[in-house]
Amino acid sequence: MDERIEQRLIDLEIKLSYAEDTIDRLNEVVVRQQLQLQTLAREVARLRERVDDGSGAVLRSLREELPPHY
């Protein structure tokens, strides 16, 4: 009986170790994604300012975008 309980504890410790590793890796992903979201939010804000200021790129028709050989 004691051997079974000890083996179950060992198995639980192994599973806990894997679960902790998975949580740590997921946390790293969440942190990285948060940094990317912050960067993208700053970029969107900057682009909005450019559009509001009128300093953004002027939209042209598709005809003006065609290469000269067409």
Side-chain angles (χ1 to χ4, degrees):
M1 180 88 160
D2 287 336
E3 269 186 45
R4 278 187 14 189
I5 292 175
E6 185 175 341
Q7 186 58 44
R8 287 184 67 195
L9 284 174
I10 291 171
D11 291 343
L12 287 172
E13 288 174 343
I14 290 170
K15 287 181 181 182
L16 176 63
S17 176
Y18 281 119
E20 287 176 339
D21 182 56
T22 300
I23 289 169
D24 289 341
R25 286 187 285 133
L26 288 172
N27 189 50
E28 290 172 6
V29 170
V30 170
V31 169
R32 190 171 53 245
Q33 287 179 340
Q34 181 62 37
L35 292 173
Q36 290 173 338
L37 284 172
Q38 290 171 347
T39 301
L40 290 172
R42 284 192 301 269
E43 181 70 16
V44 167
R46 190 180 65 77
L47 290 172
R48 281 186 180 154
E49 287 176 9
R50 285 182 59 192
V51 169
D52 290 343
D53 293 345
S55 63
V58 177
L59 296 176
R60 299 184 297 188
S61 73
L62 289 178
R63 291 253 179 236
E64 293 173 3
E65 294 295 323
L66 291 176
H69 64 277
Y70 278 102

